[in-house]
Coordinates of all heavy atoms in Angstrom, one line a residue:
F175 N -7.4 23.1 -16.4 CA -8.2 24.1 -15.6 C -7.4 25.4 -15.6 O -6.2 25.5 -15.7 CB -8.4 23.5 -14.2 CG -9.2 22.3 -14.2 CD1 -8.7 21.0 -14.5 CD2 -10.6 22.4 -14.0 CE1 -9.5 19.9 -14.5 CE2 -11.4 21.2 -14.1 CZ -10.8 20.0 -14.3
D176 N -8.2 26.5 -15.3 CA -7.7 27.8 -15.1 C -7.1 28.0 -13.7 O -6.3 28.8 -13.4 CB -8.7 28.9 -15.4 CG -9.3 28.8 -16.8 OD1 -8.5 29.1 -17.7 OD2 -10.4 28.3 -17.0
A177 N -7.7 27.2 -12.8 CA -7.3 27.3 -11.4 C -7.5 26.0 -10.7 O -8.4 25.2 -11.0 CB -8.1 28.4 -10.6
A178 N -6.5 25.6 -9.8 CA -6.6 24.4 -9.0 C -6.5 24.9 -7.5 O -5.5 25.5 -7.1 CB -5.5 23.5 -9.3
V179 N -7.6 24.7 -6.8 CA -7.6 25.2 -5.4 C -7.8 24.1 -4.4 O -8.3 23.0 -4.7 CB -8.8 26.3 -5.3 CG1 -8.7 27.4 -6.3 CG2 -10.2 25.6 -5.3
S180 N -7.4 24.4 -3.2 CA -7.6 23.5 -2.1 C -7.6 24.2 -0.8 O -6.7 25.1 -0.5 CB -6.5 22.5 -2.1 OG -6.7 21.5 -1.2
H181 N -8.5 24.0 0.1 CA -8.6 24.7 1.4 C -8.7 23.7 2.5 O -9.6 22.8 2.5 CB -9.8 25.6 1.4 CG -10.1 26.2 2.7 ND1 -9.1 27.1 3.4 CD2 -11.1 26.2 3.6 CE1 -9.6 27.4 4.5 NE2 -10.8 26.9 4.7
L182 N -7.8 23.8 3.5 CA -7.8 23.0 4.7 C -7.6 21.5 4.5 O -8.2 20.7 5.2 CB -9.2 23.3 5.5 CG -9.2 23.3 7.0 CD1 -8.1 24.2 7.6 CD2 -10.5 23.8 7.5
V183 N -6.8 21.2 3.5 CA -6.6 19.8 3.1 C -5.2 19.3 3.2 O -4.9 18.2 3.7 CB -7.1 19.6 1.6 CG1 -6.8 18.2 1.2 CG2 -8.5 20.0 1.5
F184 N -4.2 20.2 2.9 CA -2.8 19.8 2.7 C -2.2 19.3 4.1 O -1.3 18.5 4.0 CB -2.0 20.9 2.2 CG -1.9 20.9 0.7 CD1 -3.0 20.9 -0.1 CD2 -0.6 20.8 0.1 CE1 -2.9 20.8 -1.5 CE2 -0.5 20.7 -1.3 CZ -1.7 20.7 -2.1
H185 N -2.8 19.7 5.2 CA -2.2 19.2 6.4 C -2.5 17.7 6.6 O -2.0 17.1 7.5 CB -2.6 20.1 7.7 CG -4.0 20.1 8.0 ND1 -4.9 21.0 7.4 CD2 -4.8 19.3 8.8 CE1 -6.1 20.7 7.9 NE2 -6.1 19.7 8.7
H186 N -3.5 17.2 5.8 CA -3.8 15.8 5.8 C -3.0 15.0 4.8 O -3.2 13.7 4.7 CB -5.3 15.6 5.6 CG -6.2 16.1 6.7 ND1 -6.2 15.6 7.9 CD2 -7.0 17.2 6.7 CE1 -7.1 16.2 8.7 NE2 -7.6 17.2 8.0
V187 N -2.3 15.6 3.9 CA -1.8 15.0 2.7 C -0.3 14.5 3.0 O 0.5 15.3 3.3 CB -1.8 15.9 1.5 CG1 -1.0 15.3 0.3 CG2 -3.2 16.3 1.1
P188 N -0.1 13.2 2.9 CA 1.2 12.7 3.2 C 2.3 13.2 2.3 O 3.4 13.7 2.8 CB 1.1 11.1 3.0 CG -0.3 10.8 3.1 CD -1.0 12.1 2.6
D189 N 2.1 13.2 1.0 CA 3.1 13.7 0.1 C 2.6 14.9 -0.6 O 2.0 14.9 -1.7 CB 3.4 12.6 -0.9 CG 4.6 12.9 -1.8 OD1 5.0 14.1 -1.9 OD2 5.2 11.9 -2.4
M190 N 2.9 16.1 0.0 CA 2.4 17.4 -0.6 C 3.1 17.7 -1.9 O 2.5 18.2 -2.8 CB 2.7 18.5 0.4 CG 1.9 18.4 1.7 SD 2.0 19.9 2.7 CE 3.7 19.9 3.1
S191 N 4.4 17.3 -2.1 CA 5.1 17.6 -3.4 C 4.4 16.9 -4.5 O 4.2 17.4 -5.6 CB 6.5 17.1 -3.3 OG 7.2 17.7 -2.3
Q192 N 4.0 15.6 -4.3 CA 3.4 14.8 -5.3 C 2.0 15.5 -5.7 O 1.7 15.6 -6.9 CB 3.2 13.4 -4.9 CG 2.8 12.4 -6.0 CD 1.4 11.8 -5.7 OE1 0.8 12.0 -4.7 NE2 1.0 11.0 -6.7
L193 N 1.3 15.9 -4.7 CA -0.1 16.5 -5.0 C 0.1 17.8 -5.8 O -0.6 18.1 -6.7 CB -0.9 16.7 -3.7 CG -2.3 17.3 -3.9 CD1 -3.1 16.5 -4.9 CD2 -3.0 17.4 -2.6
V194 N 1.1 18.6 -5.4 CA 1.3 19.9 -6.1 C 1.7 19.6 -7.5 O 1.3 20.3 -8.4 CB 2.3 20.8 -5.3 CG1 2.8 22.0 -6.1 CG2 1.7 21.2 -4.0
K195 N 2.5 18.6 -7.7 CA 2.9 18.3 -9.1 C 1.7 17.9 -9.9 O 1.6 18.2 -11.1 CB 4.0 17.2 -9.1 CG 5.4 17.7 -8.8 CD 6.4 16.5 -8.9 CE 7.7 17.0 -8.2 NZ 8.4 15.9 -7.5
V196 N 0.8 17.1 -9.3 CA -0.4 16.6 -10.0 C -1.2 17.9 -10.4 O -1.7 18.0 -11.5 CB -1.2 15.6 -9.2 CG1 -2.5 15.3 -9.8 CG2 -0.4 14.3 -9.1
M197 N -1.4 18.8 -9.4 CA -2.2 20.0 -9.6 C -1.6 20.8 -10.7 O -2.3 21.4 -11.6 CB -2.3 20.8 -8.3 CG -3.2 20.1 -7.3 SD -3.1 20.8 -5.6 CE -4.3 22.1 -5.8
W198 N -0.2 20.9 -10.8 CA 0.5 21.6 -11.9 C 0.0 21.0 -13.2 O -0.3 21.7 -14.2 CB 2.0 21.5 -11.7 CG 2.8 22.3 -12.7 CD1 3.2 23.6 -12.5 CD2 3.3 21.9 -13.9 NE1 3.9 24.0 -13.6 CE2 4.0 23.0 -14.5 CE3 3.2 20.7 -14.6 CZ2 4.6 22.9 -15.7 CZ3 3.8 20.6 -15.9 CH2 4.5 21.7 -16.4
G199 N 0.0 19.7 -13.3 CA -0.3 19.0 -14.5 C -1.8 19.2 -14.9 O -2.1 19.0 -16.1
T200 N -2.7 19.6 -14.0 CA -4.1 19.8 -14.4 C -4.3 21.1 -14.9 O -5.5 21.4 -15.4 CB -5.0 19.6 -13.1 OG1 -4.7 20.7 -12.2 CG2 -4.8 18.3 -12.4
L201 N -3.3 22.0 -14.8 CA -3.6 23.4 -15.2 C -3.3 23.7 -16.7 O -2.3 23.1 -17.3 CB -2.7 24.4 -14.3 CG -3.2 24.4 -12.9 CD1 -2.1 25.1 -12.0 CD2 -4.5 25.2 -12.7
K202 N -4.0 24.7 -17.2 CA -3.7 25.2 -18.6 C -2.4 26.1 -18.4 O -2.1 26.6 -17.2 CB -4.8 26.2 -19.0 CG -6.1 25.5 -19.3 CD -7.1 26.7 -19.7 CE -8.5 26.1 -19.8 NZ -9.5 27.1 -19.9
Q203 N -1.8 26.5 -19.5 CA -0.7 27.4 -19.4 C -1.3 28.8 -18.9 O -2.4 29.2 -19.3 CB -0.2 27.7 -20.8 CG 1.2 28.3 -20.8 CD 1.8 28.5 -22.2 OE1 1.1 28.2 -23.2 NE2 3.0 28.9 -22.2
G204 N -0.7 29.3 -17.9 CA -1.3 30.6 -17.3 C -2.2 30.3 -16.1 O -2.7 31.2 -15.5
G205 N -2.5 29.0 -15.9 CA -3.4 28.6 -14.8 C -2.7 28.8 -13.4 O -1.5 28.7 -13.3
R206 N -3.5 28.9 -12.4 CA -3.0 29.3 -11.1 C -3.4 28.2 -10.0 O -4.5 27.8 -10.0 CB -3.6 30.7 -10.7 CG -3.1 31.1 -9.3 CD -3.5 32.6 -9.1 NE -2.6 33.5 -9.8 CZ -1.4 34.0 -9.3 NH1 -1.0 33.5 -8.2 NH2 -0.8 34.8 -10.0
I207 N -2.4 27.9 -9.2 CA -2.7 27.1 -8.0 C -3.0 28.0 -6.8 O -2.4 29.1 -6.7 CB -1.5 26.2 -7.7 CG1 -1.9 25.1 -6.6 CG2 -0.3 26.9 -7.3 CD1 -0.8 24.0 -6.4
W208 N -4.0 27.6 -6.0 CA -4.3 28.4 -4.7 C -4.5 27.4 -3.6 O -5.6 26.8 -3.5 CB -5.5 29.3 -5.0 CG -5.7 30.3 -3.9 CD1 -6.3 30.1 -2.6 CD2 -5.3 31.7 -3.9 NE1 -6.3 31.2 -1.9 CE2 -5.7 32.2 -2.6 CE3 -4.7 32.5 -4.8 CZ2 -5.5 33.6 -2.3 CZ3 -4.5 33.9 -4.4 CH2 -4.9 34.4 -3.2
V209 N -3.5 27.2 -2.8 CA -3.6 26.3 -1.7 C -3.8 27.2 -0.4 O -3.0 28.1 -0.2 CB -2.3 25.4 -1.5 CG1 -2.4 24.5 -0.3 CG2 -2.2 24.6 -2.8
S210 N -4.8 26.8 0.4 CA -5.1 27.5 1.6 C -5.1 26.6 2.8 O -5.7 25.5 2.7 CB -6.4 28.2 1.5 OG -6.9 28.7 2.7
D211 N -4.3 26.9 3.8 CA -4.3 26.0 5.0 C -3.8 26.8 6.2 O -3.2 27.9 6.0 CB -3.5 24.7 4.8 CG -4.1 23.5 5.5 OD1 -4.7 23.7 6.6 OD2 -3.8 22.4 5.1
F212 N -3.9 26.3 7.4 CA -3.4 27.0 8.5 C -1.9 26.9 8.6 O -1.3 25.9 8.1 CB -4.1 26.6 9.9 CG -3.8 25.2 10.4 CD1 -2.9 25.1 11.4 CD2 -4.4 24.1 9.9 CE1 -2.6 23.8 12.0 CE2 -4.1 22.8 10.4 CZ -3.2 22.7 11.5
E213 N -1.2 27.9 9.2 CA 0.2 27.9 9.2 C 0.8 27.2 10.4 O 0.2 27.3 11.5 CB 0.7 29.4 9.3 CG 2.2 29.6 9.3 CD 2.7 31.0 9.3 OE1 1.9 31.9 9.5 OE2 3.9 31.2 9.0
D214 N 1.9 26.5 10.2 CA 2.7 26.0 11.3 C 3.6 27.2 11.8 O 4.7 27.4 11.2 CB 3.5 24.8 10.9 CG 4.5 24.3 12.0 OD1 4.5 24.9 13.1 OD2 5.2 23.3 11.7
D215 N 3.1 27.9 12.8 CA 3.9 29.0 13.3 C 4.5 28.7 14.6 O 4.7 29.6 15.4 CB 3.0 30.3 13.3 CG 1.8 30.2 14.3 OD1 1.5 29.0 14.6 OD2 1.3 31.2 14.7
G216 N 4.6 27.4 14.9 CA 5.3 27.0 16.2 C 4.4 26.1 16.9 O 3.4 25.6 16.4
V217 N 4.8 25.8 18.2 CA 4.1 24.7 18.9 C 2.6 25.0 19.1 O 1.8 24.1 19.2 CB 4.7 24.4 20.3 CG1 6.0 23.7 20.2 CG2 4.9 25.7 21.1
Q218 N 2.2 26.3 19.2 CA 0.8 26.6 19.4 C -0.1 26.1 18.2 O -1.3 25.9 18.4 CB 0.6 28.1 19.5 CG 1.0 29.0 18.4 CD 2.5 29.3 18.4 OE1 3.3 28.7 19.1 NE2 2.9 30.3 17.6
A219 N 0.5 25.8 17.0 CA -0.3 25.3 15.9 C -0.8 23.9 16.2 O -1.8 23.5 15.6 CB 0.6 25.3 14.7
E220 N -0.2 23.2 17.1 CA -0.6 21.8 17.5 C -2.0 21.8 18.1 O -2.7 20.8 18.2 CB 0.4 21.2 18.4 CG 1.7 20.9 17.8 CD 2.7 20.3 18.7 OE1 2.3 19.7 19.8 OE2 3.9 20.4 18.4
R221 N -2.4 23.0 18.6 CA -3.7 23.1 19.3 C -4.9 23.2 18.3 O -6.0 23.3 18.7 CB -3.7 24.2 20.3 CG -2.8 23.9 21.5 CD -3.2 24.6 22.8 NE -2.8 26.1 22.7 CZ -1.7 26.6 23.1 NH1 -0.8 25.8 23.7 NH2 -1.4 27.9 23.0
F222 N -4.6 23.3 17.0 CA -5.6 23.5 16.0 C -6.6 22.3 16.1 O -7.8 22.5 15.9 CB -5.0 23.6 14.6 CG -6.0 24.0 13.5 CD1 -6.3 25.3 13.3 CD2 -6.7 23.1 12.8 CE1 -7.2 25.7 12.3 CE2 -7.6 23.4 11.8 CZ -7.9 24.8 11.6
H223 N -6.0 21.1 16.2 CA -6.9 19.9 16.3 C -6.9 19.4 17.8 O -5.8 19.3 18.4 CB -6.4 18.8 15.4 CG -6.4 19.1 14.0 ND1 -5.4 19.6 13.3 CD2 -7.4 18.9 13.1 CE1 -5.7 19.7 12.0 NE2 -6.9 19.4 11.8
P224 N -8.1 19.0 18.3 CA -8.0 18.3 19.6 C -7.3 17.0 19.4 O -7.2 16.4 18.3 CB -9.5 18.1 19.9 CG -10.3 18.3 18.6 CD -9.4 19.1 17.7
K225 N -6.8 16.4 20.5 CA -5.9 15.2 20.4 C -6.7 14.0 19.8 O -6.1 13.3 19.1 CB -5.4 14.9 21.8 CG -4.4 15.9 22.3 CD -3.5 15.4 23.4 CE -2.5 16.4 23.9 NZ -3.0 17.6 24.4
D226 N -8.0 13.9 20.0 CA -8.7 12.8 19.5 C -8.9 12.9 17.9 O -9.4 12.0 17.3 CB -10.0 12.5 20.2 CG -11.0 13.7 19.9 OD1 -10.7 14.7 19.4 OD2 -12.2 13.5 20.3
K227 N -8.4 14.0 17.3 CA -8.5 14.2 15.9 C -7.2 14.2 15.2 O -7.0 14.5 14.1 CB -9.2 15.5 15.6 CG -10.7 15.6 16.0 CD -11.6 14.9 14.9 CE -13.0 14.6 15.4 NZ -13.8 15.7 15.8
H228 N -6.1 13.7 16.0 CA -4.8 13.7 15.4 C -4.5 12.6 14.4 O -3.7 12.8 13.6 CB -3.7 13.7 16.5 CG -3.5 15.0 17.2 ND1 -2.5 15.3 18.0 CD2 -4.2 16.2 17.0 CE1 -2.5 16.6 18.4 NE2 -3.6 17.1 17.8
A229 N -5.3 11.6 14.4 CA -5.2 10.5 13.4 C -5.5 11.1 12.0 O -6.5 11.7 11.9 CB -6.1 9.3 13.7
G230 N -4.6 10.9 11.1 CA -4.8 11.4 9.7 C -4.3 12.8 9.6 O -4.3 13.4 8.5
V231 N -3.9 13.5 10.7 CA -3.2 14.8 10.5 C -1.7 14.6 10.3 O -1.1 14.0 11.2 CB -3.5 15.6 11.8 CG1 -2.7 16.9 11.8 CG2 -5.0 16.0 12.0
E232 N -1.3 14.9 9.1 CA 0.1 14.6 8.8 C 1.1 15.6 9.4 O 2.2 15.4 9.6 CB 0.3 14.6 7.3 CG -0.4 13.4 6.6 CD 0.3 12.1 6.9 OE1 1.5 12.1 7.0 OE2 -0.4 11.1 7.0
R233 N 0.6 16.9 9.6 CA 1.4 17.9 10.1 C 0.5 19.0 10.7 O -0.6 19.2 10.2 CB 2.3 18.6 9.0 CG 1.6 19.0 7.8 CD 2.5 19.3 6.6 NE 3.0 18.1 6.0 CZ 2.3 17.3 5.3 NH1 1.1 17.5 5.0 NH2 2.9 16.2 4.8
H234 N 1.0 19.7 11.7 CA 0.2 20.7 12.4 C 0.4 22.0 11.7 O 1.1 22.9 12.2 CB 0.6 20.8 13.9 CG 0.3 19.5 14.6 ND1 -1.0 19.1 14.9 CD2 1.1 18.5 15.1 CE1 -1.0 17.9 15.5 NE2 0.3 17.6 15.6
G235 N -0.2 22.1 10.5 CA 0.0 23.4 9.7 C 1.1 23.3 8.7 O 1.9 22.3 8.7
L236 N 1.1 24.3 7.9 CA 2.1 24.3 6.8 C 3.1 25.4 7.1 O 2.8 26.5 7.6 CB 1.4 24.6 5.4 CG 0.8 23.4 4.7 CD1 0.0 22.5 5.6 CD2 0.0 23.8 3.5
K237 N 4.4 25.1 6.7 CA 5.5 26.1 6.9 C 5.7 26.9 5.6 O 5.7 26.3 4.5 CB 6.8 25.3 7.2 CG 6.8 24.8 8.7 CD 8.2 24.3 9.0 CE 8.2 23.6 10.3 NZ 8.1 24.5 11.4
R238 N 5.9 28.2 5.7 CA 6.0 29.0 4.5 C 7.2 28.6 3.6 O 7.0 28.4 2.4 CB 6.3 30.5 5.0 CG 5.1 31.1 5.7 CD 5.5 32.5 6.1 NE 4.4 33.0 7.0 CZ 3.9 34.2 6.8 NH1 4.3 35.1 6.0 NH2 2.9 34.6 7.7
N239 N 8.3 28.4 4.2 CA 9.5 28.1 3.4 C 9.4 26.7 2.7 O 9.8 26.5 1.5 CB 10.8 28.2 4.1 CG 10.9 27.2 5.3 OD1 9.8 26.8 5.8 ND2 12.1 26.9 5.8
V240 N 8.8 25.7 3.4 CA 8.6 24.4 2.8 C 7.6 24.5 1.6 O 7.9 24.0 0.5 CB 8.0 23.4 3.8 CG1 7.5 22.1 3.2 CG2 9.0 23.2 4.9
M241 N 6.5 25.3 1.7 CA 5.5 25.4 0.7 C 6.1 26.2 -0.5 O 5.8 25.8 -1.7 CB 4.2 26.0 1.2 CG 3.5 25.2 2.2 SD 3.4 23.4 1.8 CE 2.3 23.5 0.4
E242 N 6.9 27.2 -0.2 CA 7.5 27.9 -1.3 C 8.4 27.0 -2.1 O 8.4 27.0 -3.4 CB 8.3 29.1 -0.7 CG 8.6 30.2 -1.7 CD 9.2 31.4 -1.0 OE1 8.7 31.8 0.1 OE2 10.2 31.9 -1.5
G243 N 9.2 26.2 -1.5 CA 10.0 25.2 -2.1 C 9.3 24.2 -2.9 O 9.6 23.9 -4.1
I244 N 8.2 23.7 -2.4 CA 7.4 22.7 -3.1 C 6.8 23.2 -4.3 O 6.8 22.6 -5.4 CB 6.3 22.1 -2.1 CG1 7.0 21.2 -1.1 CG2 5.2 21.4 -2.9 CD1 6.0 20.6 0.0
L245 N 6.2 24.4 -4.3 CA 5.6 25.0 -5.5 C 6.6 25.3 -6.5 O 6.4 25.1 -7.7 CB 4.8 26.3 -5.1 CG 3.3 26.1 -4.9 CD1 3.0 25.3 -3.6 CD2 2.6 27.4 -4.7
T246 N 7.8 25.8 -6.1 CA 8.8 26.2 -7.1 C 9.4 24.9 -7.7 O 9.5 24.8 -8.9 CB 10.0 26.9 -6.3 OG1 9.4 28.0 -5.7 CG2 11.1 27.4 -7.3
Q247 N 9.6 23.9 -6.9 CA 10.1 22.6 -7.4 C 9.1 22.0 -8.4 O 9.5 21.3 -9.4 CB 10.3 21.6 -6.3 CG 11.6 21.7 -5.5 CD 12.7 21.2 -6.3 OE1 12.7 20.1 -6.9 NE2 13.8 21.9 -6.4
A248 N 7.8 22.2 -8.2 CA 6.8 21.6 -9.1 C 6.8 22.3 -10.4 O 6.2 21.8 -11.4 CB 5.5 21.6 -8.4
G249 N 7.4 23.5 -10.5 CA 7.5 24.2 -11.8 C 6.7 25.5 -11.8 O 6.6 26.1 -12.9
F250 N 6.1 25.8 -10.7 CA 5.3 27.1 -10.7 C 6.2 28.3 -10.7 O 7.3 28.3 -10.1 CB 4.4 27.1 -9.4 CG 3.2 26.3 -9.5 CD1 3.2 25.0 -8.9 CD2 2.1 26.6 -10.3 CE1 2.0 24.2 -9.0 CE2 1.0 25.8 -10.5 CZ 1.0 24.6 -9.8
D251 N 5.7 29.3 -11.4 CA 6.4 30.7 -11.4 C 5.5 31.6 -10.6 O 4.4 31.3 -10.2 CB 6.4 31.2 -12.9 CG 7.4 30.4 -13.7 OD1 8.4 30.0 -13.2 OD2 7.1 30.2 -14.9
K252 N 6.1 32.8 -10.3 CA 5.4 33.8 -9.5 C 4.9 33.2 -8.2 O 3.7 33.5 -7.8 CB 4.3 34.4 -10.3 CG 4.7 35.1 -11.6 CD 3.6 35.8 -12.3 CE 4.0 36.3 -13.6 NZ 2.9 36.7 -14.5
V253 N 5.7 32.4 -7.6 CA 5.3 31.8 -6.3 C 5.2 32.8 -5.2 O 6.1 33.6 -5.0 CB 6.3 30.6 -5.9 CG1 6.0 30.1 -4.5 CG2 6.2 29.5 -7.0
E254 N 4.1 32.8 -4.5 CA 3.9 33.6 -3.3 C 3.3 32.8 -2.2 O 2.4 32.0 -2.4 CB 2.9 34.8 -3.6 CG 3.3 35.8 -4.6 CD 2.2 36.7 -5.0 OE1 1.7 37.5 -4.1 OE2 1.7 36.6 -6.1
V255 N 3.8 33.0 -1.0 CA 3.2 32.4 0.2 C 3.0 33.5 1.2 O 4.0 34.2 1.6 CB 4.1 31.3 0.8 CG1 3.6 30.8 2.1 CG2 4.4 30.2 -0.2
F256 N 1.8 33.8 1.6 CA 1.5 34.9 2.5 C 0.3 34.6 3.4 O -0.5 33.7 3.1 CB 1.2 36.2 1.6 CG 0.1 36.1 0.7 CD1 -1.2 36.4 1.1 CD2 0.3 35.6 -0.6 CE1 -2.3 36.3 0.2 CE2 -0.8 35.5 -1.5 CZ -2.0 35.9 -1.1
E257 N 0.3 35.4 4.5 CA -0.8 35.2 5.4 C -2.1 35.8 4.8 O -2.1 37.0 4.4 CB -0.6 35.9 6.7 CG -1.7 35.6 7.8 CD -1.4 36.3 9.1 OE1 -0.4 36.1 9.7 OE2 -2.3 37.1 9.5
S258 N -3.1 35.0 4.6 CA -4.3 35.4 3.9 C -5.4 35.9 4.9 O -6.2 36.7 4.6 CB -4.9 34.3 3.0 OG -4.9 33.1 3.7
F259 N -5.4 35.3 6.1 CA -6.3 35.7 7.2 C -5.9 35.1 8.5 O -5.1 34.1 8.5 CB -7.8 35.4 6.8 CG -8.1 33.9 6.6 CD1 -8.5 33.1 7.6 CD2 -8.1 33.4 5.3 CE1 -8.8 31.7 7.4 CE2 -8.4 32.1 5.0 CZ -8.7 31.2 6.1
K260 N -6.5 35.5 9.5 CA -6.4 34.9 10.9 C -7.8 34.5 11.3 O -8.8 35.1 11.0 CB -5.9 35.9 11.9 CG -4.3 36.0 11.9 CD -3.9 36.8 13.2 CE -2.4 36.6 13.4 NZ -1.6 37.5 12.7
M261 N -7.8 33.3 12.0 CA -9.2 32.9 12.4 C -9.1 32.5 13.9 O -8.2 31.7 14.3 CB -9.6 31.7 11.6 CG -11.0 31.3 11.8 SD -11.5 29.8 11.0 CE -10.6 28.6 12.1
D262 N -10.1 32.9 14.7 CA -10.2 32.5 16.1 C -10.9 31.2 16.2 O -11.8 30.9 15.5 CB -11.0 33.6 16.9 CG -10.2 34.8 17.1 OD1 -9.0 34.9 16.9 OD2 -10.9 35.8 17.5
K263 N -10.3 30.3 17.0 CA -10.9 29.0 17.2 C -10.8 28.6 18.7 O -9.8 28.9 19.3 CB -10.0 28.0 16.4 CG -10.6 26.6 16.2 CD -9.6 25.8 15.3 CE -10.2 24.5 14.8 NZ -10.4 23.5 15.8
T264 N -11.9 28.0 19.2 CA -11.9 27.6 20.6 C -11.1 26.2 20.6 O -11.5 25.3 19.9 CB -13.3 27.4 21.1 OG1 -14.0 28.6 21.0 CG2 -13.3 27.0 22.6
V265 N -10.1 26.2 21.4 CA -9.2 25.0 21.4 C -9.6 24.1 22.6 O -10.5 24.4 23.4 CB -7.7 25.3 21.4 CG1 -7.4 26.0 20.1 CG2 -7.3 26.2 22.6
E266 N -8.9 23.0 22.7 CA -9.3 21.9 23.7 C -9.5 22.3 25.1 O -10.4 21.9 25.8 CB -8.3 20.7 23.6 CG -8.9 19.4 24.0 CD -8.1 18.3 23.4 OE1 -6.9 18.4 23.1 OE2 -8.6 17.2 23.3

Side-chain angles (χ1 to χ4, degrees):
F175 297 84
D176 301 289
V179 306
S180 186
H181 172 61
L182 215 47
V183 177
F184 267 58
H185 65 272
H186 293 292
V187 172
D189 189 341
M190 297 191 291
S191 300
Q192 191 239 358
L193 180 55
V194 169
K195 280 183 194 143
V196 172
M197 290 170 84
W198 185 91
T200 67
L201 290 168
K202 295 174 186 170
Q203 197 176 9
R206 180 171 283 277
I207 189 171
W208 190 279
V209 176
S210 165
D211 211 335
F212 70 102
E213 181 178 13
D214 175 357
D215 62 341
V217 284
Q218 61 275 17
E220 291 177 22
R221 293 203 285 266
F222 190 85
H223 296 94
K225 289 197 179 63
D226 66 350
K227 292 278 163 61
H228 279 190
V231 172
E232 292 289 328
R233 55 194 70 75
H234 297 290
L236 273 50
K237 285 188 185 289
R238 293 178 188 227
N239 59 338
V240 170
M241 296 313 295
E242 201 172 311
I244 286 177
L245 265 66
T246 305
Q247 277 286 314
F250 283 103
D251 290 325
K252 299 182 185 168
V253 171
E254 292 171 68
V255 176
F256 58 90
E257 185 181 303
S258 46
F259 58 88
K260 275 196 164 79
M261 191 190 73
D262 287 345
K263 189 177 195 288
T264 304
V265 296
E266 204 158 21

